[in-house]
Structures are given as structure tokens and as C-alpha cells.
């Protein structure tokens, strides 16, 4: 048996670190042993000390007794007496020696007589009793001999310790027996206690062993609330948790092993640490091939360095990356995979691993390629189909737009192909298409596209052209390729092609599908022209048609969405200040363009059925508003405009009656229909009949824009209109145009002759109104009175409106004074003509000779004929000065000195004002003039002279 230190250490460790029961027994035995040993040792020491003290005291007593007994003998030097006394102590069993010594240390008597006469040198220096030696075998004491208080010698006595030691050994033996008994008892008690304590723990241990052996379903069942029961419950809970974790691990391991997706795990240095079976199946690399390598093992070279840089950057930023990637198998074959990489982080949120999960999508990519070819290429001719054509057309348009070049779209349809199919069958027809398509493709350049979009229709996209006509040689080649005969056995078939051509870019923005439609339209024009030819699309002609169609559709949508509103422009009597009605004017509240006037949308639907729908909406909306006003206590005649198409509807009068019936609150006499003079001329009889029918139930009619048409007396007599509206173009320019003034005077006279009311529209200033009142026209409307306003504002405006003070005092001028108005206007017109010429508004200037202008001719004739030559010399002089200044200004303009000419226009205005002032002053004194009229017109004329030009 080996007793080396290592073996002893193992045994000792086994002894101390064995089972809990053994540890308990050994521990308790050691505790008892140590405790009892310490107790016995302590007791033995105490007993030994007590016995030695007792023996020392006995020895000291004997020594002192001997000293007393031998004092006489010592003083007398009776050695025999001293020897006898010493010998008397021989019966004491523990006596080792006894001697009497003199003060010098010579032995006078000894228990061993042979030692008399010896000297001892270790005596105390002081005469006192003293313990000289105390050992396990001897107790040696010395005591002085006194006689008469005189130190005369020493007694030295030595006692043996055998009996004492024997007694101590008995005591130790008894203690060891007690210790052994205690140890045995403690071992028994420990064993019993350990068995009791560990029996419940053993149950847990046994369950643990069986669980370890595979019986994972077992659990420790212990009752009670002690530590063992608590431990059993914790143990069971731990087993449950371990079972769950084991199940999860088994599941994860099963998924990892049996997953159809390849799984690769790398550390943070991108070194592969684990792969699954699917990884090997997909890549061809075994686990041994892969472990320790990096994913670069699979790199195909199809992705750039930037691709991988972005991949790892996203992985670091977002902890994951997902996408397609091309890799290379062990065999060298490339394959596509869908890859997901996820970062795994530890408890400190540091990336510890990367997990890549991928699956092979090579078959999918190949299928996609096949589907892409099917989706983008014609199955019969292998030419691009409509889908790919659209993509290439968009790309070509963007490319040519950037380069500033032209792109041409060619739409080609085979002539006579249907006859081939009908007479020879579809198989022959298909072969013909294949052959013709191949020939036409060969005529095009490498970068051009020829697509089959269905049946016998093809589209070619030709780019990089200088202009639209640069494609003509290619068009001729296409026509030639399409018309070449095709042989099928003994048959020879031949077709031709009709081609439509359009180009990009155009003056307006255009989409790709619009280009195709343009080319298609041009192709049909080629067919109509005789086939086997090409025709270029006329963009300008189509633009007008398309723009009008889009406008009509947008207006239709706006009408459906209630985007139209009515504004109302008041009509007034300028002299009395009475508001005599209002005209309903349509506006379009466009959602993106804001409020639009009729000029922005009505021309688009002129002579279109939609104009009828919009006109009916206007009448209905106006009647609704009139009914609402009536309920509010506001009653005002309203006029609405009706177009020619609506007016000529056979059901117009009936529908108007039904509308009025639906608004019983509205007085029919308060509804006025305004029709254009030109509309009435289109069908005079029909319009006259409609007016008669509507007049029967009280509706009034007005002739709008009178004077812009033929203004025939015949149709004025046949049409029972109640009001003539003078067009604003005449009113607006009457202050500076004598012709417009003449037309205005004529219309007013015509209305008076036919007993029609007359109203002027376009009154923009106080001067316009004043002149109309002088001509005898009191009713008017225009921006100088009020702009069209929403319905909600009209009642307040009516309640607060007052005419200008100048209008209230105006009176119609006598007929003989009318030439004065013309004279003034002629001079103003001449001044305006000079200014327009200098400002570049007209190419020619008026007559510069003072005698040739209208005002000069009138002044020369009228003034002298009326005998006021002396009074008019100042007026003539001013007139000549004005013409001289005007000539100088025109000369400057002709010389290119426009700035100098412009700088002198204020002088011309000042001279005009002086002449008109003199004109008024002179003709106020003419015999027969009405002083009141002239005083009224003078202020008005001065205002006109200074404010209108």
C-alpha cells in the first residue's frame, strides 16, 4: 500500500469530501475527538499540576521537618545523629535522596552514606526554602537549617515521581477511554442523524441518477416544508426548465440539421464555425471543408466590392441584411440564393456571431428569365411584345430628350394579311409573319426596336435622328421588306405595309401611349390614301382636337361635381339710381386653377351637347336663387344667357315652362333670356317661334351684343325682343373712337324707333356713363358700376348703391349739339393715335397735317360756316400747335429717338387739355346754346379730357 503524500491527500479528500453522511460522521467524530482530547489534555494538565503541587508541598514539609530535627546535630557536629535522622527517612517510598549540608555545601549526612563529604555548588545564595528541580522523574527541594535564628546549614531532599506519573497515566487512560467512547457514540449518533437527514436527500439523488440515466420524466416527491422538500421542489422546477430547454435545443438542433435552407454560422471575424446539412447539399462543401473558412469560400465574383461593403454596413447598422446574391458551388457552378444574415449579440450587446440562412433560387431565377422572355417577347416572331416596347419607348424618349435628338415611332400594319389567313390557313399566315418580321428587323439599325403588338401590327422605335424626316430611308426599307414575295412550296405570297409615323419630342409634352396613338392614326391615314405607303402624323391638327376633347370632359366632370357657380352683375338706371335687375354670369370654381371666367371654358363646348346641359343648369340655379331671395324679401329681375344650340332645342320652351313651374315663387316676368344677335340669325324663324312661345307665359327676351352682327331691321322687326344690349366693345372705346360713338348713337336711335328698351354694357368709368346719358341711354351695367358678385352680396349692394352725382344732373343733348361731341372725340382720338404710335401699339400714325385731320376739317368747315371766325382764331392756333408738336414727336420716333419722343408726350397732353378748354369756352357763347347744358358738359368734358387718355 502506497503511503506517498499524493495518495494520502486523495484518501483524506475522499474521507472528508465523500457522501454527506460520511462527512457528517467524520465531522462529528473529529469534533468529538478534538473536543474530548482537549478536555482530557486540560484535565490531565490540571491534575498533573495539582499532584506536583501536592508533592512539592510534601517535599517541602519533609525538608523543613528534617531541617528542624537536624539543627541540634548540625550545630553539635554530630554526624551520627544526622545520619540517623537521614536514615529514618528511608522508609518513604518516593525518597530519592536526603542530605544535610553545612552552609558551604559539604554533605554532612546523606541517604547514601558514600556521598558524605561531597560538595554541592548549586545551593541558593539566600537562606530560604526553594524548589531546586521539578521534572517528570524528580522533585528536588532545599530548606535552610536555623539555630537560634542563625543559618547553620541546609537540608536537601529529593522525591521521585513514579507514583505521580502512574497516577497521571491512569488518568490519561481513563480520558482516552472516555474520548473513544464519545467518538463511538458520536459516530453512532452521526450515522443515525445522517441516515435520517440523507434519506430524503437520497430520494432526490436517486431521481437525479435516474433522470441522468434517461428517465427525464421522473420527479422527486417529498412532503413537508423542510429544506429537503424545498430542495425537491426546486429540483423539480429545475428539471422542468431543463426539459423545456432541452426540447427547445432539440427543436433548434432538429431545425438546424433538417432545415431545407442552408445555415451558416460565423464568429465576429467572419470565420465559419458551423454549417448544416442543407449547406452541404446546396454548396457542395462539407462541414469539414467549411469550418475555419470564411464566406468568401462561396464568392462568385458577380457582385462588386461595393455590394459587399454595403452589405456589411447595413448588417452593422441594422443587425440584419436580406437580399439576393450569386455564389459559386464547390463544383464551380454558379447559383442564385436568397440570403438573410442576422447578427447575434451577447449580454453586453456586442455582436458575437452572424447567422446566414439561405435557399437556392436558381431554378426560380431561370423560370423568371423564361417568364420574362414570355412576358416581353412575342412567341411567334420572337420580337419584343407590347410590354417590352413600352419600356424601350420610355427609355428612348428619356434618352433622346437628354441628348436633344429626335425619336421616331413607326406603326406598321400589313396590307392583305387577312386574305392570306383566310385562303391559306393560319399556319401559312404564321410562317409569313415570321419571315416578314425577320426581313423588317434586318432593315433596322442595331439600336432600333421592332416589336409585334398583335396580329399583323408592328411598331418600330427609331432613335438618334437629326429630325423627323431623317427616318425616310428606313421607312422605304421597311416598305420594301414587307412587300417582298414569300415562297411556301409552290406558292408565292405577297403583302404590303401601311405605315404611320410620329416623332418625339413635340411642341407639347406627350406620353408614350399618345405617341403610339398618333402613329396608329397616321397609319390609318396611309391605308385610306391607298396602302403600301407611309404617312406622317399632323401634331398641330390633332392637338386642337385632343385639347378640346379633354376640356369638354373636364367641364362635364366639373358640372357633375358642382364646381360651377353664378355671379350677378347689377343693371341700373344711371340717372335715377334705381337697380333695375342683374345678369347671372357663370363662373367655374376650379379646384386647382381657382375662379375661372366663361372665356376659359365656354368656347370649348360651343355647339357641343354639353352646352345645353350647362345652360339648363344656369337657368335652374338662377331660379333657385330668385326663389330664395323672394323668401328673404328681396325681389329683382334676373337675366340669363342662352346659347344658340340650347335655344334651338325643340323642347326649350317646354322645359323653361317646367322649370318655372318648379319655382312657383318666381314671377316669370322677372326672368329675362339674353340671346346673341349671331345666334338669332342662324335660324330666324325658329328663334322667333321660341320667343313667341316663351312670351306667352311672361318670359322676356333681350338681344345681347347688339351691333356685332348684321343688325338687320327686318329681323329686329320679326323678333319680339324687349331689350337691346349695346355691346361693350362700342361703349368701351366711344370716348376715343368717333366710329364707335356713331354706332352707339345709331343703336340708341334704332331702339327708340322700334320701341325697344336699350341698355349699355361695359360702362367702366364715370365719363362713359355721362356720355351715354347725354346720348339718351340711361340703363347700363359694367365695372364702373359694379363687378359681378356672389349672390349673397347682391342684396346689400342694392340697398347701399348710389349713382355718381355727375350722372344725376346729365340731360340728353339736343341733336344740333351732337357734332360738338364728335369734334371733341376726334381730337382726343388724334392725340391717342400719336401716343399709340410712339408707344409701339400701332404701326402708323394719324395724319399730321392740321387741315387733313377730322377735327381740323370740322373746325375749318363748321366754325366758319357759323360765322365765328374771330373767336376761333385762338382755337385754330392751338390746333396747329398741337399738330406741330405731334409732327416733332413722330419725327423723333422715326429717327429712333424713342426716349425723347416719350418725354414730350406730357406736352402733347397739356396742349390737348388747353385746346379742349378753349373749345368748351368758345362754343358756350354760340348763339342758341343752352347755358345749362354747356355748363354741365364742360365739367364732364374736362374730367374726360384729363382722365381718359
Amino acid at each position: 500500500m502506497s503511503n506517498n503524500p499524493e495518495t494520502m491527500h486523495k484518501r483524506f479528500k475522499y474521507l472528508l469530501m465523500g457522501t454527506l453522511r460520511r462527512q457528517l460522521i467524520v465531522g462529528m467524530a473529529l469534533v468529538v475527538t478534538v473536543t474530548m482530547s482537549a478536555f482530557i489534555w486540560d484535565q490531565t494538565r490540571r491534575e498533573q499540576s495539582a499532584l506536583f503541587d501536592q508533592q512539592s508541598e510534601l517535599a517541602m514539609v519533609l525538608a523543613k521537618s528534617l531541617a528542624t530535627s537536624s539543627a541540634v546535630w548540625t550545630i553539635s557536629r554530630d554526624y551520627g545523629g544526622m545520619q540517623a535522622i537521614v536514615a529514618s527517612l528511608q522508609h518513604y517510598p518516593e525518597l530519592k535522596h536526603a542530605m544535610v549540608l553545612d552552609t558551604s555545601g559539604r554533605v554532612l549526612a546523606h541517604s547514601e552514606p558514600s556521598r558524605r563529604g561531597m560538595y554541592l555548588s548549586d545551593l541558593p545564595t539566600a537562606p530560604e526554602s526553594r524548589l531546586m528541580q521539578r521534572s517528570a522523574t524528580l522533585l528536588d527541594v532545599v530548606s535552610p537549617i536555623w539555630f537560634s535564628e542563625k543559618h547553620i546549614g541546609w537540608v536537601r531532599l529529593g522525591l521521585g515521581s513514579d507514583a505521580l506519573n502512574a497516577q497521571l497515566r491512569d488518568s490519561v487512560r481513563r480520558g482516552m477511554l472516555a474520548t473513544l467512547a464519545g467518538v463511538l457514540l458520536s459516530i453512532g449518533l452521526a450515522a443515525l442523524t445522517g441516515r435520517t437527514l440523507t434519506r430524503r436527500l437520497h430520494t432526490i439523488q436517486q431521481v437525479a441518477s435516474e433522470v441522468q440515466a434517461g428517465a427525464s420524466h421522473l420527479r422527486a416527491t417529498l412532503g413537508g416544508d423542510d429544506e429537503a422538500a424545498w430542495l425537491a421542489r426546486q429540483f423539480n422546477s429545475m428539471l422542468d426548465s431543463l426539459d423545456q430547454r432541452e426540447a427547445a435545443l432539440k427543436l433548434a438542433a432538429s431545425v438546424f440539421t433538417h432545415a431545407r435552407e442552408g445555415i451558416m454560422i460565423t464568429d465576429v471575424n467572419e470565420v465559419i464555425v458551423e454549417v448544416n446539412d442543407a449547406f452541404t447539399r446546396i454548396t457542395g462543401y462539407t462541414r469539414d471543408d467549411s469550418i475555419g473558412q470564411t464566406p468568401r469560400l462561396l464568392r462568385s465574383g458577380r457582385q462588386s466590392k461595393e455590394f459587399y461593403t454595403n452589405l456589411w454596413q447595413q448588417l452593422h447598422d441594422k443587425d440584419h441584411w436580406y437580399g439576393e446574391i450569386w455564389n459559386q458551388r464547390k463544383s464551380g457552378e454558379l447559383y442564385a440564393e436568397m440570403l438573410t444574415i442576422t447578427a447575434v449579440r451577447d449580454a453586453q450587446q456586442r455582436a458575437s456571431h452572424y447567422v446566414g440562412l439561405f435557399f437556392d433560387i436558381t431554378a426560380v431565377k431561370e423560370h423568371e428569365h423564361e417568364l420574362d422572355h414570355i412576358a416581353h417577347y412575342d412567341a411567334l416572331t420572337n420580337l419584343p411584345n407590347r410590354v417590352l416596347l413600352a419600356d424601350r419607348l420610355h427609355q428612348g424618349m428619356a434618352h433622346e430628350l437628354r441628348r436633344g435628338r429626335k425619336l421616331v415611332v413607326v406603326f406598321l400594319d400589313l396590307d392583305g394579311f387577312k386574305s392570306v389567313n383566310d385562303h391559306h390557313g393560319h399556319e401559312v399566315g404564321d410562317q409569313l409573319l415570321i419571315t416578314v418580321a425577320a426581313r423588317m428587323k434586318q432593315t433596322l439599325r442595331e439600336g432600333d426596336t421592332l416589336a409585334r403588338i398583335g396580329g399583323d401590327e408592328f411598331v418600330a422605335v427609331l432613335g438618334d435622328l437629326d429630325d423627323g424626316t431623317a427616318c425616310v430611308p428606313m421607312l422605304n426599307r421597311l416598305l420594301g421588306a414587307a412587300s417582298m414575295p414569300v415562297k411556301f412550296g409552290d406558292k408565292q405570297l405577297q403583302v404590303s405595309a401601311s405605315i404611320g409615323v410620329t416623332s418625339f419630342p413635340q411642341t407639347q409634352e406627350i406620353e408614350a401611349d399618345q405617341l403610339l396613338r398618333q402613329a396608329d392614326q397616321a397609319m390609318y391615314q396611309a391605308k385610306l390614301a391607298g396602302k403600301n405607303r407611309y404617312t406622317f402624323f399632323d401634331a398641330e391638327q390633332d392637338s386642337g382636337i385632343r385639347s378640346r376633347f379633354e376640356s369638354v370632359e373636364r367641364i362635364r366632370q366639373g358640372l357633375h361635381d358642382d364646381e360651377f357657380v353664378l355671379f350677378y352683375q347689377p343693371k341700373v338706371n344711371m340717372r335715377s339710381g334705381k337697380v333695375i335687375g342683374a345678369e347671372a354670369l357663370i363662373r367655374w370654381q376650379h379646384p386647382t386653377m381657382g375662379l375661372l371666367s366663361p372665356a376659359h371654358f365656354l368656347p370649348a363646348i360651343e355647339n357641343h351637347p354639353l352646352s345645353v346641359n350647362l345652360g339648363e343648369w344656369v337657368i335652374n340655379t338662377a331660379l333657385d336663387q330668385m326663389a330664395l331671395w323672394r323668401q328673404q324679401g328681396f325681389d329683382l329681375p334676373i337675366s340669363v344667357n342662352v346659347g344658340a344650340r340650347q335655344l334651338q332645342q325643340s323642347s326649350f320652351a317646354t322645359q323653361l315652362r317646367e322649370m318655372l313651374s318648379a319655382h312657383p315663387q318666381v314671377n316669370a316676368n322677372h326672368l329675362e333670356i339674353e340671346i346673341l344677335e349671331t345666334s338669332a340669325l342662324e335660324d330666324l324663324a325658329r328663334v322667333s317661334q321660341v320667343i313667341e312661345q316663351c312670351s306667352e307665359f311672361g318670359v322676356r327676351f333681350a338681344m345681347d351684343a347688339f351691333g356685332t352682327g348684321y343688325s338687320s331691321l327686318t329681323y329686329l322687326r320679326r323678333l319680339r325682343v324687349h331689350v337691346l344690349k349695346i355691346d361693350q366693345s362700342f361703349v368701351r372705346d366711344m370716348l376715343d373712337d368717333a366710329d364707335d360713338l356713331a354706332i352707339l348713337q345709331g343703336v340708341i336711335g334704332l331702339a327708340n324707333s322700334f320701341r325697344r328698351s336699350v341698355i349699355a354694357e361695359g360702362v367702366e368709368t364715370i365719363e362713359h356713363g355721362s356720355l351715354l346719358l347725354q346720348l339718351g341711354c340711361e340703363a347700363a351695367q359694367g365695372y364702373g358700376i359694379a363687378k359681378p358678385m356672389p349672390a349673397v352680396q347682391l342684396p346689400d349692394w342694392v340697398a347701399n348703391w348710389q349713382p355718381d352725382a355727375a350722372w344725376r344732373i346729365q340731360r340728353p343733348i339736343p341733336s344740333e349739339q351732337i357734332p360738338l361731341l364728335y369734334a371733341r372725340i376726334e381730337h382726343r382720338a388724334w392725340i391717342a393715335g400719336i401716343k399709340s404710335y410712339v408707344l409701339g401699339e400701332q404701326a402708323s400714325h394719324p395724319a399730321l397735317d392740321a387741315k387733313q385731320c377730322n377735327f381740323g376739317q370740322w373746325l375749318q368747315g363748321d366754325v366758319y360756316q357759323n360765322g365765328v371766325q374771330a373767336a376761333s382764331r385762338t382755337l385754330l392756333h392751338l390746333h396747329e400747335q398741337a399738330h406741330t408738336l405731334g409732327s416733332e414727336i413722330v419725327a423723333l420716333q422715326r429717327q429712333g429717338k424713342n426716349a425723347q419722343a416719350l418725354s414730350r408726350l406730357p406736352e402733347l397732353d397739356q396742349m390737348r387739355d388747353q385746346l379742349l378748354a378753349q373749345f368748351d369756352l368758345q362754343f358756350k357763347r354760340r348763339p342758341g346754346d343752352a347755358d345749362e347744358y354747356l355748363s354741365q358738359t364742360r365739367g364732364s368734358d374736362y374730367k374726360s379730357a384729363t382722365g381718359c387718355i
Side-chain angles (χ1 to χ4, degrees):
M1 181 179 294
S2 175
N3 290 322
N4 61 63
E6 184 177 356
T7 303
M8 294 298 293
H9 176 73
K10 290 182 179 179
R11 291 177 180 175
F12 185 72
K13 184 176 180 181
Y14 172 76
L15 183 65
L16 293 181
M17 302 302 292
T19 63
L20 185 60
R21 187 182 300 178
R22 184 183 300 128
Q23 292 181 46
L24 183 61
I25 292 173
V26 172
M28 186 170 287
L30 288 175
V31 169
V32 171
T33 300
V34 171
T35 303
M36 292 297 291
S37 297
F39 177 74
I40 292 172
W41 180 76
D42 183 66
Q43 287 297 109
T44 302
R45 285 185 59 225
R46 290 175 181 274
E47 185 176 357
Q48 183 184 22
S49 178
L51 289 175
F52 274 118
D53 289 343
Q54 184 180 359
Q55 192 175 20
S56 298
E57 185 177 354
L58 176 60
M60 195 62 70
V61 170
L62 288 176
K64 288 181 178 180
S65 176
L66 181 59
T68 302
S69 300
S70 62
V72 176
W73 308 111
T74 301
I75 195 65
S76 63
R77 301 292 185 181
D78 185 356
Y79 296 109
M82 287 186 286
Q83 187 66 37
I85 292 173
V86 171
S88 64
L89 296 176
Q90 292 292 331
H91 67 279
Y92 195 81
E94 292 295 329
L95 182 67
K96 294 294 184 179
H97 62 267
M99 63 186 75
V100 178
L101 301 92
D102 59 13
T103 56
S104 63
R106 183 169 65 89
V107 178
L108 299 179
H110 198 286
S111 57
E112 295 180 12
S114 59
R115 294 193 175 191
R116 284 189 304 177
M118 297 177 62
Y119 281 90
L120 298 178
S121 59
D122 57 348
L123 293 176
T125 58
E128 58 182 359
S129 298
R130 182 178 295 180
L131 180 63
M132 299 299 292
Q133 182 179 356
R134 185 176 182 176
S135 66
T137 58
L138 179 65
L139 183 64
D140 188 14
V141 298
V142 64
S143 179
I145 301 174
W146 297 93
F147 185 81
S148 298
E149 299 182 357
K150 181 180 179 182
H151 180 224
I152 60 174
W154 297 92
V155 172
R156 193 164 182 169
L157 186 66
L159 297 178
S161 301
D162 294 338
L164 178 62
N165 289 334
Q167 186 177 356
L168 288 174
R169 283 193 296 272
D170 289 341
S171 177
V172 170
R173 190 179 299 111
R174 290 192 302 270
M176 292 179 66
L177 291 175
T179 300
L180 180 60
V183 169
L184 294 176
L185 179 60
S186 66
I187 290 173
L189 289 173
L192 180 62
T193 303
R195 179 178 179 82
T196 302
L197 293 176
T198 59
R199 183 170 60 244
R200 292 164 66 82
L201 296 178
H202 182 69
T203 301
I204 301 174
Q205 181 184 12
Q206 185 177 3
V207 171
S209 298
E210 294 182 9
V211 168
Q212 187 177 9
S216 60
H217 64 283
L218 293 180
R219 294 293 182 269
T221 305
L222 293 180
D225 294 325
D226 59 1
E227 290 83 352
W230 179 85
L231 182 61
R233 288 192 295 272
Q234 295 299 316
F235 176 72
N236 293 338
S237 177
M238 180 188 68
L239 288 180
D240 292 340
S241 177
L242 288 176
D243 284 349
Q244 294 175 2
R245 293 185 181 182
E246 183 179 7
L249 289 174
K250 286 181 178 179
L251 178 60
S254 177
V255 169
F256 183 81
T257 303
H258 299 98
R260 294 183 59 82
E261 294 82 4
I263 301 176
M264 172 178 61
I265 303 175
T266 72
D267 60 16
V268 291
N269 296 318
E270 304 177 26
V271 176
I272 300 173
V273 298
E274 190 60 83
V275 297
N276 69 342
D277 295 342
F279 176 91
T280 300
R281 174 174 51 80
I282 295 173
T283 67
Y285 289 98
T286 65
R287 184 175 182 275
D288 293 337
D289 294 336
S290 306
I291 301 301
Q293 300 291 331
T294 67
R296 286 185 287 275
L297 177 73
L298 306 173
R299 184 168 292 183
S300 65
R302 292 191 60 170
Q303 286 80 218
S304 64
K305 182 179 179 180
E306 290 75 15
F307 172 86
Y308 290 103
T309 301
N310 294 333
L311 183 154
W312 284 105
Q313 184 63 46
Q314 183 175 344
L315 186 58
H316 291 154
D317 293 342
K318 300 182 179 179
D319 284 351
H320 69 273
W321 181 88
Y322 175 80
E324 294 182 6
I325 189 170
W326 282 89
N327 277 336
Q328 184 173 348
R329 307 187 206 272
K330 187 176 182 180
S331 62
E333 177 189 1
L334 297 183
Y335 70 97
E337 67 179 43
M338 185 62 71
L339 173 63
T340 300
I341 306 177
T342 304
V344 179
R345 296 190 175 274
D346 57 19
Q348 286 75 36
Q349 293 302 307
R350 293 176 299 189
S352 61
H353 293 84
Y354 295 105
V355 178
L357 186 146
F358 63 93
F359 55 91
D360 191 345
I361 59 170
T362 306
V364 175
K365 299 297 288 185
E366 291 175 351
H367 186 56
E368 283 182 356
H369 180 72
E370 294 174 359
L371 291 178
D372 181 73
H373 190 273
I374 294 173
H376 294 91
Y377 288 86
D378 177 54
L380 180 63
T381 63
N382 206 33
L383 293 176
N385 62 8
R386 187 182 294 271
V387 177
L388 184 55
L389 169 67
D391 180 64
R392 291 190 178 178
L393 181 54
H394 280 98
Q395 293 182 15
M397 291 169 65
H399 182 69
E400 304 305 336
L401 195 61
R402 287 194 301 269
R403 298 181 58 192
R405 304 281 286 172
K406 278 285 186 180
L407 177 138
V408 168
V409 177
V410 178
F411 198 106
L412 186 148
D413 183 87
L414 297 181
D415 306 320
F417 177 74
K418 184 177 182 301
S419 176
V420 173
N421 262 343
D422 294 342
H423 290 86
H424 303 284
H426 290 285
E427 183 177 354
V428 173
D430 289 346
Q431 290 301 318
L432 176 64
L433 283 176
I434 294 172
T435 303
V436 172
R439 290 175 177 174
M440 291 192 298
K441 184 177 181 182
Q442 291 175 357
T443 66
L444 301 181
R445 298 168 301 174
E446 183 178 355
D448 296 332
T449 296
L450 178 66
R452 181 185 178 218
I453 61 174
D456 58 349
E457 294 180 335
F458 299 84
V459 172
V461 179
L462 314 177
D464 195 21
L465 299 173
D466 295 331
D467 52 51
T469 60
C471 66
V472 170
M474 285 178 278
L475 298 178
N476 290 325
R477 291 200 298 269
L478 283 172
L479 289 174
S483 61
M484 288 177 62
V486 180
K487 290 185 177 181
F488 293 98
D490 58 347
K491 301 176 182 178
Q492 181 170 304
L493 303 177
Q494 186 174 14
V495 294
S496 62
S498 294
I499 296 177
V501 187
T502 190
S503 62
F504 176 87
Q506 299 179 6
T507 55
Q508 296 181 349
E509 291 187 8
I510 189 168
E511 299 294 334
D513 57 342
Q514 292 175 290
L515 285 175
L516 290 174
R517 287 198 297 270
Q518 289 181 356
D520 188 15
Q521 293 176 24
M523 182 272 294
Y524 278 106
Q525 293 300 319
K527 281 190 177 292
L528 293 175
K531 303 180 182 179
N532 193 27
R533 67 191 63 222
Y534 58 82
T535 300
F536 282 90
F537 177 76
D538 188 342
E540 294 183 0
Q541 178 183 8
D542 178 74
S543 176
I545 298 172
R546 176 164 46 84
S547 176
R548 184 172 183 271
F549 172 77
E550 292 173 354
S551 299
V552 168
E553 291 305 308
R554 183 62 188 89
I555 294 170
R556 190 190 309 277
Q557 183 65 35
L559 184 59
H560 177 270
D561 295 341
D562 293 329
E563 295 175 1
F564 290 95
V565 295
L566 288 184
F567 275 42
Y568 296 87
Q569 186 175 39
K571 303 175 184 179
V572 302
N573 185 300
M574 295 181 288
R575 189 186 308 281
S576 67
K578 180 181 179 181
V579 180
I580 59 176
E583 181 180 2
L585 300 170
I586 190 170
R587 298 290 186 268
W588 188 357
Q589 190 65 58
H590 198 282
T592 58
M593 301 172 66
L595 192 67
L596 301 180
S597 66
H600 288 86
F601 55 89
L602 287 185
I605 59 173
E606 187 177 2
N607 296 323
H608 191 278
L610 183 59
S611 64
V612 177
N613 302 120
L614 193 61
E616 293 174 352
W617 177 88
V618 170
I619 296 175
N620 261 317
T621 304
L623 291 174
D624 290 339
Q625 187 61 55
M626 293 171 70
L628 179 61
W629 279 333
R630 188 73 179 268
Q631 292 175 2
Q632 298 171 353
F634 180 72
D635 194 9
L636 190 70
I638 299 296
S639 63
V640 296
N641 293 277
V642 174
R645 189 181 184 95
Q646 182 181 4
L647 185 66
Q648 294 172 13
Q649 297 291 310
S650 60
S651 59
F652 176 79
T654 303
Q655 289 181 346
L656 183 58
R657 183 189 292 272
E658 292 174 354
M659 292 179 190
L660 285 167
S661 299
H663 300 82
Q665 314 95 311
V666 177
N667 188 342
N669 291 325
H670 281 193
L671 178 64
E672 184 175 86
I673 304 296
E674 295 188 10
I675 60 174
L676 289 172
E677 179 183 356
T678 53
S679 300
L681 288 174
E682 292 180 8
D683 190 347
L684 187 61
R686 172 61 190 159
V687 173
S688 178
Q689 182 183 3
V690 170
I691 293 176
E692 292 293 338
Q693 291 174 348
C694 295
S695 298
E696 292 177 359
F697 48 86
V699 175
R700 293 163 51 87
F701 278 77
M703 183 71 71
D704 194 11
F706 189 78
T708 58
Y710 295 102
S711 303
S712 169
L713 299 179
T714 300
Y715 79 74
L716 184 60
R717 177 174 58 83
R718 293 181 58 184
L719 296 177
R720 294 183 56 189
V721 295
H722 303 83
V723 179
L724 298 181
K725 294 191 71 173
I726 305 174
D727 189 68
Q728 59 181 339
S729 62
F730 305 129
V731 177
R732 182 177 55 248
D733 297 332
M734 66 179 181
L735 295 176
D736 298 304
D737 192 326
D739 293 336
D740 284 344
L741 180 62
I743 293 174
L744 195 66
Q745 183 186 3
V747 171
I748 295 173
L750 194 62
N752 292 332
S753 299
F754 281 87
R755 295 182 298 278
R756 304 286 198 268
S757 299
V758 66
I759 183 171
E761 56 182 355
V763 176
E764 298 180 354
T765 65
I766 300 301
E767 290 73 19
H768 285 94
S770 296
L771 186 53
L772 285 169
L773 287 169
Q774 292 173 23
L775 294 174
C777 178
E778 298 181 354
Q781 68 182 96
Y783 279 25
I785 299 170
K787 295 181 179 180
M789 64 189 72
V792 68
Q793 299 177 7
L794 186 60
D796 288 341
W797 186 92
V798 171
N800 298 311
W801 185 76
Q802 293 291 331
D804 189 89
W807 289 353
R808 290 187 178 275
I809 62 175
Q810 294 295 342
R811 296 291 183 272
I813 63 175
S815 59
E816 64 271 14
Q817 300 294 334
I818 292 296
L820 295 177
L821 293 178
Y822 282 95
R824 299 182 86 259
I825 290 175
E826 289 286 4
H827 183 64
R828 290 166 60 93
W830 184 84
I831 297 293
I834 296 294
K835 294 177 67 175
S836 296
Y837 174 70
V838 174
L839 294 172
E841 296 174 354
Q842 63 185 41
S844 60
H845 54 79
L848 298 179
D849 189 345
K851 297 180 180 180
Q852 292 181 1
C853 76
N854 293 333
F855 180 79
Q857 292 177 359
W858 174 85
L859 188 61
Q860 290 286 337
D862 185 75
V863 171
Y864 284 102
Q865 289 175 8
N866 287 281
V868 289
Q869 296 89 339
S872 63
R873 278 195 296 269
T874 302
L875 191 61
L876 287 170
H877 179 67
L878 289 173
H879 180 245
E880 290 175 356
Q881 284 184 330
H883 273 264
T884 300
L885 178 59
S887 299
E888 293 174 357
I889 292 174
V890 169
L892 290 173
Q893 181 68 17
R894 287 175 175 175
Q895 296 170 11
K897 301 177 181 180
N898 179 256
Q900 296 182 25
L902 288 173
S903 67
R904 301 197 66 182
L905 289 181
E907 297 179 39
L908 192 63
D909 289 339
Q910 183 178 7
M911 192 161 293
R912 174 202 60 196
D913 296 340
Q914 291 177 359
L915 186 148
L916 292 177
Q918 181 64 32
F919 178 89
D920 292 339
L921 183 63
Q922 176 174 334
F923 286 99
K924 179 179 177 181
R925 300 189 180 94
R926 288 183 59 179
D929 284 350
D931 289 346
E932 180 183 1
Y933 163 71
L934 290 174
S935 63
Q936 293 169 0
T937 59
R938 180 179 179 181
S940 175
D941 288 341
Y942 274 126
K943 188 181 297 184
S944 299
T946 58
C948 292
I949 295 180

